[in-house]
Amino acid sequence: MLVAAAACPCPPLLVPEVAAGAAPELDAARAACADALGVLAAARPDLLVVVGPAEQSGRGPFAQGTPGSFRGFGVDAAVRLGPATDAVPERELPPSLAVGAWLLERTGWADAPIEGLGVGEPLAPERCLGTGREIGARAGRVALLVMGDASACRTLKAPGYLDERAAPFDAAVARALGTADLAAVRALDPELAHQLKASGRAPWQVLAGAAEGTDLAGALLYEDAPYGVGYVVATWS
């Protein structure tokens, strides 16, 4: 059963080595993510599952100990999804899960075994919800770290240029995640999310599936759009 969840943004810029001179601009987001992970630890989970958006090669499950890196972003910085195991990983973490692994390393996570799941951006809402239900049934006390960004179309210089629908979409996401409103998360439109380059839609709907049958309360810890991309940090507990 899901006992706690944290929703965090997944830009590699969260990693100071990647952001370089721009690193201070995301200090508030990093602090909020650290607070959110504290909520997960306080829930005393038996299992932590990190869910994030992924391209085709990064979809599916990742075992504890899977390595990742930020070499693709020009930085020779390596991470690992929890403590190493005897298993030999077949592939590296996708960027969103690498950012999640970095957050966990940064906060010294040692509270429960960790698994990862890369989710395809086009995954239909019903399949996201079904995946979430399966995760919620994995252990007596399950926690989720849900990685994903809101729209990338908030300003003229944003990756997706300016789209007038972006700010209302992001506000709806922040309300839904900040209040643990399952119906509102389920109702997020996958086509609109795709058009606005919102990578978090599918992972958030996985969270909604996992939270069915629970009575978790939401808290919004951070909401902003640096670089024209919507970033939201929220907890459910």
Side-chain angles (χ1 to χ4, degrees):
M1 180 178 181
L2 185 72
V3 294
C8 294
C10 62
L13 288 172
L14 272 182
V15 181
E17 295 92 329
V18 176
E25 296 178 31
L26 289 180
D27 280 349
R30 292 185 194 97
C33 290
D35 290 344
L37 265 60
V39 171
L40 298 186
R44 306 185 311 282
D46 302 318
L47 172 67
L48 172 65
V49 181
V50 186
V51 181
E55 298 296 332
Q56 186 71 45
S57 62
R59 294 173 189 170
F62 291 84
Q64 177 170 303
T66 301
S69 78
F70 299 100
R71 286 188 293 271
F73 301 94
V75 174
D76 189 20
V79 293
R80 189 178 297 277
L81 190 66
T85 67
D86 293 334
V88 179
E90 297 179 357
R91 52 184 179 156
E92 284 202 345
L93 299 170
S96 68
L97 298 189
V99 174
W102 177 82
L103 288 173
L104 291 166
E105 286 185 358
R106 180 173 180 260
T107 54
W109 179 271
D111 299 273
I114 306 171
E115 296 178 5
L117 179 66
V119 179
E121 185 267 344
L123 194 65
E126 276 306 317
R127 291 193 61 193
C128 294
L129 296 170
T131 298
R133 294 182 194 111
E134 293 173 4
I135 292 173
R138 289 286 311 281
R141 298 181 66 81
V142 177
L144 275 179
L145 173 55
V146 185
M147 310 299 296
D149 300 338
S151 75
C153 304
R154 291 283 293 273
T155 65
L156 292 173
K157 293 184 178 180
Y161 197 64
L162 176 64
D163 190 313
E164 62 184 14
R165 301 171 296 174
F169 176 87
D170 288 359
V173 166
R175 281 195 302 273
L177 294 178
T179 59
D181 187 336
L182 298 188
V185 177
R186 286 194 296 261
L188 292 173
D189 182 353
E191 181 58 32
L192 178 58
H194 174 71
Q195 292 173 7
L196 296 177
K197 304 184 184 303
S199 68
R201 189 277 307 172
W204 298 329
Q205 289 182 329
V206 170
L207 166 59
E212 289 179 2
T214 68
D215 190 24
L216 302 181
L220 183 64
L221 306 187
Y222 176 88
E223 178 193 5
D224 202 356
Y227 317 114
V229 181
Y231 298 149
V232 174
V233 180
T235 58
W236 294 13
S237 62

